[in-house]
Amino acid sequence: NFSQDSWTVARLALELMRARAAGDVTKAQQIEDELKTGGYDPGWAETIADYVNYFGLDGSRARIPYIPPNAAMQPLPMPSTATVALIADWGTGTAAAINLLKGIALQKPDILIHLGDIYYSGTPAECDANFKRIIDQVFGRTGAATDIPVFTMPGNHDMYSGGQGYYGLLQTLNAPPMQQPASFFCLRDTTAQRWQFIAMDTGLHDYDPFKVTKVVTFLEKPEEDWLTARIAEFPGKTILLSHHQFFSAFAQIGAPLEDGALTPYNPSLDLSFKRFQAAAPGRIAAWFWGHEHTLTVYGSYRGLDKGRCIGHGGVPVLTGTGSTELTNLKDPPTFLKVDLGVDDHIYAHGFAIVRLQADGTATASYFQDIDFSKPMFTEPLQSEASTAAV
């Protein structure tokens, strides 16, 4: 999500490019001066530059190299007792992000899944420096088949440069047979068939940094068909994953209604979820997402028992920002009060660990970087009750 300052610098950056394209040297200099004196983060200006370089000033120059389903796409295998680490909005390349990944390594995960956003624009250089290189170093990955497999989903920032870096990552992250086939995938316990992760591509249609608060993301129909088939055929439980939120009490989803009210859920993803539910009644255990840079543990809403926002992986958020409920939501979701720790006026970063047990049960534990020794709380994923960690 963009703060107001980010919107300002994005607007100024686009005006600067238009002035340069028109040969208006005086106007360009005025905008450059405003960017310099305003104290804005120059990375957001780079985001706009990357967007315009790929898509053009009118946004129509090039297309994202999305990979649709094909007959060769099959579920990827995972152990029946896997420990799966989930992080979101992590790819900042900062010292805090590196430290968080080291905290994840302490949990000895079998699999690492990133729910999207490599900053600022998911360029090939950023995907290498802020993502792959750090993961390889922390986990000692060398490109061997024995490396911990790493999967990543596209967020809006990954698409601002047209997905050039993101789709390059898919070809290099893992050795076969664990190579991610597309921006969506199914990761499945193929032995006991008790648990699977279904990852969706919600980033494809959120590639314009000027429309991020109003866009309503959706799944491509062939992709939704493929994911629904994977959910329907699997006898065990499914955990859904996406970058964008299904619903929110804190962030705008789509344009306001005529009366100024906001819809607290994504109506397109709501229809997809209804289809997933119909394919596997009672077998969808949870949905984890990012996009908002916070941790929110929601109550049951829109038929989903456990909706969890874990977007606090790497973007620094000052205390007092991003934690206020929107007042103009119609029928907003409820949530548990889970207070992130604070370090020097910055909210703690964190991650989730999903552990699949030998008896077929599963738990999700939530950690923050001010104390890796114990989770903030732990909950079972197969029932409605959440239990505080001891």
Side-chain angles (χ1 to χ4, degrees):
N1 287 344
F2 276 34
S3 67
Q4 189 59 47
D5 280 354
S6 303
W7 278 113
T8 300
V9 73
R11 174 183 58 78
L12 290 171
L14 187 60
E15 289 178 5
L16 174 60
M17 289 177 196
R18 285 175 172 158
R20 287 174 175 170
D24 191 337
V25 178
T26 301
K27 179 66 173 177
Q29 186 61 55
Q30 290 174 346
I31 297 170
E32 287 180 359
D33 292 343
E34 187 173 351
L35 282 167
K36 291 176 182 177
T37 59
Y40 298 118
D41 182 347
W44 297 117
E46 294 171 16
T47 293
I48 305 306
D50 291 331
Y51 169 79
V52 172
N53 286 339
Y54 189 81
F55 293 104
L57 280 169
D58 62 355
S60 63
R61 177 190 295 165
R63 293 187 178 276
I64 295 168
Y66 174 80
I67 302 170
N70 60 65
M73 286 187 185
Q74 298 296 324
L76 299 166
M78 69 175 178
S80 299
T81 56
T83 296
V84 181
L86 303 177
I87 52 173
D89 301 78
W90 171 79
T92 59
T94 62
I98 296 171
N99 181 58
L100 189 75
L101 195 66
K102 291 178 178 178
I104 291 176
L106 295 175
Q107 300 300 317
K108 302 186 184 305
D110 301 297
I111 295 162
L112 175 65
I113 303 177
H114 181 235
L115 306 189
D117 270 4
I118 299 172
Y119 296 88
Y120 286 92
S121 308
T123 63
E126 289 171 331
C127 286
D128 180 57
N130 296 351
F131 192 83
K132 187 177 186 298
R133 199 181 305 175
I134 296 171
I135 293 174
D136 287 349
Q137 182 177 3
V138 170
F139 283 98
R141 288 170 22 113
T142 61
T146 53
D147 287 346
I148 176 176
V150 178
F151 305 97
T152 186
M153 296 151 57
N156 48 310
H157 283 266
D158 303 292
M159 296 298 105
Y160 289 157
S161 62
Q164 299 174 85
Y166 174 80
Y167 284 97
L169 271 181
L170 298 192
Q171 301 171 23
T172 61
L173 267 182
N174 302 320
M178 297 303 287
Q179 198 167 48
Q180 185 176 324
S183 53
F184 56 92
F185 58 89
C186 170
L187 185 63
R188 174 182 291 177
D189 163 17
T190 55
T191 304
Q193 293 194 321
R194 291 169 175 161
W195 291 93
Q196 69 174 357
F197 291 87
I198 290 288
M200 300 169 267
D201 181 349
T202 62
L204 177 63
H205 298 290
D206 189 6
Y207 62 87
D208 187 340
F210 295 95
K211 298 178 180 177
V212 68
T213 62
K214 294 184 178 180
V215 70
V216 177
T217 61
F218 60 93
L219 305 181
E220 288 286 289
K221 181 62 164 53
E223 175 186 333
E224 185 187 272
D225 292 343
W226 189 89
L227 296 174
T228 302
R230 304 291 77 76
I231 292 171
E233 72 190 12
F234 189 65
K237 292 187 178 295
T238 292
I239 296 171
L240 300 175
L241 305 173
S242 66
H243 175 72
H244 290 79
Q245 65 274 70
F246 177 16
F247 48 77
S248 177
F250 303 96
Q252 177 177 332
I253 302 175
L257 303 176
E258 289 186 3
D259 61 359
L262 294 173
T263 302
Y265 62 91
N266 181 317
S268 297
L269 296 183
D270 189 54
L271 292 175
S272 296
F273 179 63
K274 284 182 169 60
R275 189 177 176 198
F276 296 159
Q277 279 186 309
R283 301 206 304 272
I284 297 179
W287 185 342
F288 292 87
W289 60 75
H291 196 52
E292 298 171 59
H293 303 149
T294 187
L295 170 65
T296 311
V297 180
Y298 287 102
S300 181
Y301 187 71
R302 305 297 299 178
L304 176 65
D305 183 25
K306 290 181 171 63
R308 306 292 184 253
C309 177
I310 56 168
H312 59 314
V315 177
V317 177
L318 290 170
T319 53
T321 60
S323 58
T324 303
E325 294 176 71
L326 297 182
T327 58
N328 52 342
L329 292 174
K330 297 184 68 172
D331 185 28
T334 60
F335 54 92
L336 301 181
K337 186 172 175 56
V338 180
D339 293 324
L340 286 171
V342 175
D343 183 13
D344 194 22
H345 304 290
I346 300 291
Y347 284 117
H349 300 298
F351 57 89
I353 295 289
V354 175
R355 289 189 171 88
L356 310 180
Q357 310 292 346
D359 63 359
T361 61
T363 60
S365 299
Y366 303 82
F367 293 81
Q368 57 182 342
D369 60 2
I370 61 173
D371 184 2
F372 289 134
S373 67
K374 61 182 180 180
M376 299 171 64
F377 71 99
T378 297
E379 61 179 345
L381 291 184
Q382 65 277 3
S383 66
E384 295 184 359
S386 293
T387 56
V390 178

